[in-house]
């Protein structure tokens, strides 16, 4: 297994992985063009894990100049509990830290118990003092 930067050429493989992984919420924001823009805006902060030629893990990372954000950490079920998720997070956080980012957030669904357990076991804290509010800027 090796970890390399997420290049948009691997989008179809990554998108298929996201679909296979419970707890990953996908929307139109995850369309190829949007992910391409995200990767261009945040170069060197998103990664894929590869076994042979298969994408078996991925993480999207980026920042707004002040805070880092992690989206869509996913590891294929057949490869879980081998430290791949931890390695992807480590690479992403190192890239954020190198960019001068001092704190990172992530979004996770309340019902994603496995994901919550992963993050808690890896030193993240579950915040109860904030909520997320959203507004669609483009009508669906």
């Amino acid at each position: 297994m090796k970890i390399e930067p997420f290049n948009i050429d691997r989008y179809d493989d990554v998108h298929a992985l996201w679909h296979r992984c419970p707890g990953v919420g996908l929307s139109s924001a995850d369309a190829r063009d949007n992910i391409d823009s995200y990767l261009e805006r945040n170069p060197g902060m998103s990664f894929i894990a590869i076994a042979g030629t298969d994408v078996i893990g991925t993480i999207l990372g980026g920042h707004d100049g002040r805070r880092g954000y992690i989206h869509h950490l996913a590891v294929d079920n057949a490869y879980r509990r081998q430290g791949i998720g931890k390695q992807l997070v480590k690479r992403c956080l190192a890239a954020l830290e190198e960019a001068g980012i001092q704190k990172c957030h992530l979004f996770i669904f309340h019902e994603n118990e496995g994901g919550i357990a992963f993050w808690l076991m890896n030193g993240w804290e579950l915040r109860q003092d904030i909520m997320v509010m959203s507004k669609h800027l483009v009508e669906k």
Side-chain angles (χ1 to χ4, degrees):
M1 190 275 308
K2 63 181 178 177
I3 294 179
E4 60 186 46
F6 178 3
N7 181 302
I8 197 63
D9 294 341
R10 297 307 299 258
Y11 172 82
D12 291 337
D13 297 324
V14 168
H15 199 260
L17 173 64
W18 290 338
H19 275 285
R20 291 194 309 272
C21 292
V24 176
L26 299 175
S27 71
S28 60
D30 300 302
R32 183 186 194 95
D33 288 347
N34 294 330
I35 296 299
D36 190 30
S37 293
Y38 186 85
L39 295 173
E40 285 182 19
R41 187 178 189 281
N42 297 283
M45 296 186 182
S46 300
F47 299 92
I48 58 174
I50 300 173
T53 59
D54 297 328
V55 173
I56 59 165
T58 185
I59 190 168
L60 284 179
H63 67 87
D64 60 13
R66 191 175 149 275
R67 293 285 186 250
Y69 298 94
I70 289 177
H71 307 277
H72 298 341
L73 172 65
V75 176
D76 187 275
N77 196 46
Y79 292 89
R80 290 188 181 169
R81 301 201 180 276
Q82 297 179 31
I84 296 167
K86 288 180 186 180
Q87 290 178 54
L88 288 165
V89 171
K90 183 178 178 180
R91 291 283 297 269
C92 181
L93 293 179
L96 289 168
E97 189 174 342
E98 187 175 312
I101 302 302
Q102 298 177 7
K103 188 173 189 177
C104 187
H105 300 295
L106 59 92
F107 300 100
I108 192 162
F109 290 117
H110 292 281
E111 67 272 6
N112 187 348
E113 294 176 9
I116 293 169
F118 170 85
W119 292 108
L120 289 173
M121 286 186 314
N122 285 283
W124 291 68
E125 68 178 273
L126 184 59
R127 304 267 313 252
Q128 301 290 334
D129 58 329
I130 59 175
M131 295 187 296
V132 174
M133 298 178 73
S134 301
K135 179 176 177 58
H136 288 279
L137 303 180
V138 177
E139 294 297 320
K140 291 183 176 184

